[in-house]
Amino acid sequence: MLFLDRLKQNCATYADKIAIEFHEPQRTETVTYQYIEDTVQKTMAYLHSLGVESGDRVALQLPKCLPFIYLHLAIMRLGAITLPLNPAYPEAELIYFLEDSGAKLFFADSHDEAKIQAIADKLPSLETVIYIEIHPDDPEEFESMLTAEVDNLPHPPTDANQTALIFYTSGTTGRPKGAQITHGNLTTNLDDLYSAWGWQDDDILLHVLPIFHVHGLVVALHGALHAGATAIMLPRFEPQLALDTLVKRCCTVFMAVPTIHKRLVDFSDAENYDLSHMRLLTSGSDRLPDDVCVRFKQLYGHTLLERYGMTETGMNLSNPLHGERRIGSVGMPLPSVEARIVNPETDEPLADGDVGEVQIKGAHVFKGYWNMPDKTAEAFTSDGWLRTGDMGMRAADGYFTLKGRSKDLIITGGLNVYPPEVELVLADHPAIQASAVIGCLDDEWGERVTAIIILKPEVTVTEREIIHFCRERLAQYKTPRTVIFVDDFPRNALGKIQKAKLREAWC
Ligand code: MLC
């Protein structure tokens, strides 16, 4: 049964049960499964009246809020495609995502109206922008836009291969690519996680992640709705509020990235929180440092369950719910996932214990990048394995361990940054002759985006100016935190910059 059908069924089975409790500083909004079903139907009718049809891309650049969730579910149920966008994207990135996806309809935060109007002439494909006023103290605002007339709605998609979502991922060689996630991909992965993580309808998830990524939207929020469970949502992560809520609301499940777990173990009042009622705390989106895992266990009594996923696939590997959660390992393939380690040059499988590229196969793997057939072809081997770009090894007992990346990807606070995207921006700076962007290890963020720069002769420019230049063109998390000026780069015989040597010298 496709995820959307299962959700509809849950809305009937658990009609009066709380599906989502959305906590704002001023108030908490509580919605039942029946309310979700009713509001999604009304949102479908509203979108339909705006001309949204199957296959259309509808962009959402909204803060974490209930209207985002209603819109997203209604878009998918109309057979259209949700395009979730990080609210941190500045104009230049926004233009690219909207134009590349060909979105006709865009829901934006009313606070961004002036910014979006200023770039309207650069968005020829976009037909309609709807500004939503997100009033934490007036939740009716969005609902008042909806029509009560819900007759004759189109049938939900039945084709598992139909695209449900496009997530833009940072580009390995330049511009970001739109990964198309199908209804079948979502369903397979949710079914896998339901059994692997023992989701139950009496689970209460504490949701602190952003909802414009796979982790927060698909794994956490869809996961709870798919299980008929309750999601308690906080607009953003804040250690004390998260811990208070875990305890007061008797949450059973928590999902986060290593930067968040690090902040929890560093929290000064940690020993005053008893989390013994919880059953599952997971970590993903970046490598969990061993010491954070060990300290978490000492302070909170739980061994974090580390798992491995990516935007293009959802979740691939996971430590077991019962059984050994091996520190430093991302566990074993989920039930419907095939994983292997290969020589990245030849795609030949390697023996257990050898380090090579992790490759993945399964019905959860995305169908391709939006309008980029060449990039899609490059992403797969001739026999259909996805090249993850992550290096790893498999132990004889089946546990996988990640060992870095074959590409120069930087992960900061659980968010991916590909250096070429930042280098492209730096190349536009009039004072810069050449740049190399690397990730330097960082206690809090995992890695810190660092730009090593060669200036043109006889120009001067400060670190601050370079950071400001990038900040205007890139989301905050992609903007270099440190800028280092050098006279030359270490290069190999082919003239390629040796980033490993730069990391050794400057990180
Ligand atoms: C915020 N900042 C970041 C950042 N997030 N910088 C680098 N990397 C990040 N990820 C900036 C802010 O803009 C601010 O900049 C400064 O850091 C301090 O901000 P903050 O208020 O302390 O940050 P906060 O809002 O608390 O956010 C930190 C965080 C958040 C870790 C809670 O980044 C987060 O929720 N990350 C989760 C990301 C995620 O969901 N990833 C999943 C991807 S899916 P300034 O300049 O103003 O000081 C995926 C697949 C899978 O990877 O397997 O899951």
Side-chain angles (χ1 to χ4, degrees), residues 210 213 215 236 263 285 307 309 412-415 445 476-477 481:
H213 280 302
H215 197 163
R236 58 189 294 277
R263 290 186 187 178
S285 307
R307 54 60 173 183
T412 173
L415 296 173
W445 297 97
Q476 270 149 319
Y477 68 92
R481 298 254 172 146

Side-chain angles (χ1 to χ4, degrees), residues 426-469:
L426 290 167
D428 283 339
H429 192 289
I432 294 177
Q433 181 174 311
S435 73
V437 171
I438 56 174
C440 287
L441 282 185
D442 185 274
D443 239 19
E444 181 177 9
W445 297 97
E447 284 178 304
R448 193 174 61 252
V449 179
T450 304
I452 318 276
I453 284 172
I454 301 177
L455 290 177
K456 288 181 182 159
E458 288 161 32
V459 286
T460 47
V461 64
T462 63
E463 175 177 20
R464 253 175 90 110
E465 282 166 316
I466 302 266
I467 291 176
H468 180 71
F469 180 83

Side-chain angles (χ1 to χ4, degrees), residues 17 64 86 90 244 265 361 400 462:
K17 181 175 176 179
K64 188 174 178 181
N86 186 338
D244 284 346
V265 295
K361 213 182 223 187
F400 284 71
T462 63

Side-chain angles (χ1 to χ4, degrees), residues 264-453:
L264 286 174
V265 295
D266 287 344
F267 184 60
S268 54
D269 218 10
E271 57 281 0
N272 292 329
Y273 289 89
D274 177 3
L275 304 186
S276 55
H277 62 283
M278 295 193 68
R279 67 165 200 88
L280 176 64
L281 295 97
T282 70
S283 180
S285 307
D286 194 4
R287 168 85 184 77
L288 178 66
D290 292 358
D291 69 305
V292 174
C293 192
V294 169
R295 285 169 63 211
F296 201 98
K297 169 83 175 155
Q298 284 163 354
L299 282 166
Y300 297 112
H302 289 277
T303 303
L304 293 168
L305 180 149
E306 193 174 359
R307 54 60 173 183
Y308 163 67
M310 57 194 290
T311 300
E312 287 86 343
T313 59
M315 301 301 98
N316 297 310
L317 307 169
S318 173
N319 272 283
L321 180 64
H322 306 293
E324 185 197 358
R325 292 187 193 168
R326 191 169 296 171
I327 292 186
S329 162
V330 287
M332 288 168 281
L334 289 167
S336 73
V337 175
E338 286 181 80
R340 67 177 191 178
I341 303 291
V342 302
N343 175 334
E345 308 299 324
T346 62
D347 292 331
E348 286 295 316
L350 295 175
D352 286 344
D354 287 349
V355 174
E357 185 182 40
V358 183
Q359 295 193 345
I360 298 290
K361 213 182 223 187
H364 68 305
V365 175
F366 80 133
K367 83 173 181 198
Y369 295 111
W370 178 257
N371 274 346
M372 289 189 181
D374 295 351
K375 299 277 178 214
T376 303
E378 276 169 30
F380 290 93
T381 65
S382 55
D383 52 351
W385 289 87
L386 176 71
R387 305 176 200 277
T388 64
D390 288 311
M391 304 297 281
M393 58 156 253
R394 180 186 181 278
D397 59 4
Y399 280 77
F400 284 71
T401 302
L402 298 182
K403 298 276 181 194
R405 298 162 205 130
S406 63
K407 297 162 190 153
D408 284 321
L409 170 71
I410 300 167
I411 305 186
T412 173
L415 296 173
N416 291 2
V417 182
Y418 273 100
E421 219 187 313
V422 186
E423 288 159 4
L424 267 181
V425 166
L426 290 167
D428 283 339
H429 192 289
I432 294 177
Q433 181 174 311
S435 73
V437 171
I438 56 174
C440 287
L441 282 185
D442 185 274
D443 239 19
E444 181 177 9
W445 297 97
E447 284 178 304
R448 193 174 61 252
V449 179
T450 304
I452 318 276
I453 284 172

Side-chain angles (χ1 to χ4, degrees), residues 17-19 33 199-204 223-231:
K17 181 175 176 179
I18 295 171
Y33 272 92
W199 271 107
Q200 297 150 14
D201 58 8
D202 59 358
D203 271 326
I204 302 178
L225 297 175
H226 171 270
T230 297

Side-chain angles (χ1 to χ4, degrees), residues 66-239:
L66 282 166
F68 181 113
I69 297 168
Y70 302 138
L71 282 164
H72 162 59
L73 295 173
I75 291 163
M76 292 199 299
R77 211 150 121 185
L78 283 171
I81 301 168
T82 306
L83 187 80
L85 296 173
N86 186 338
Y89 290 139
E91 287 89 329
E93 291 200 271
L94 186 58
I95 293 168
Y96 173 75
F97 295 124
L98 292 171
E99 279 308 293
D100 186 68
S101 66
K104 285 193 290 188
L105 178 59
F106 175 29
F107 286 89
D109 186 339
S110 54
H111 291 108
D112 293 333
E113 189 164 348
K115 174 179 105 178
I116 292 163
Q117 275 173 358
I119 56 170
D121 59 333
K122 300 201 173 88
L123 299 167
S125 330
L126 189 64
E127 290 170 8
T128 314
V129 187
I130 307 240
Y131 296 99
I132 301 203
E133 203 146 336
I134 308 294
H135 271 315
D137 43 359
D138 181 10
E140 307 299 315
E141 183 81 26
F142 173 72
E143 270 107 302
S144 68
M145 292 165 62
L146 305 179
T147 151
E149 187 64 59
V150 295
D151 296 335
N152 302 321
L153 290 175
H155 290 294
T158 52
D159 178 4
N161 201 35
Q162 191 169 337
T163 302
L165 271 156
I166 294 180
F167 284 114
Y168 272 87
T169 69
S170 202
T172 35
T173 51
R175 305 314 302 258
K177 301 170 287 189
Q180 297 184 73
I181 312 298
T182 68
H183 289 273
N185 296 153
L186 293 177
T187 303
T188 307
N189 214 224
L190 286 167
D191 289 347
D192 266 1
L193 294 176
Y194 185 76
S195 59
W197 292 352
W199 271 107
Q200 297 150 14
D201 58 8
D202 59 358
D203 271 326
I204 302 178
L205 166 81
L206 178 65
H207 191 298
V208 298
L209 292 167
I211 50 175
F212 47 80
H213 280 302
V214 164
H215 197 163
L217 185 63
V218 175
V219 186
L221 180 63
H222 288 185
L225 297 175
H226 171 270
T230 297
I232 298 190
M233 302 184 77
L234 306 181
R236 58 189 294 277
F237 171 73
E238 198 273 304

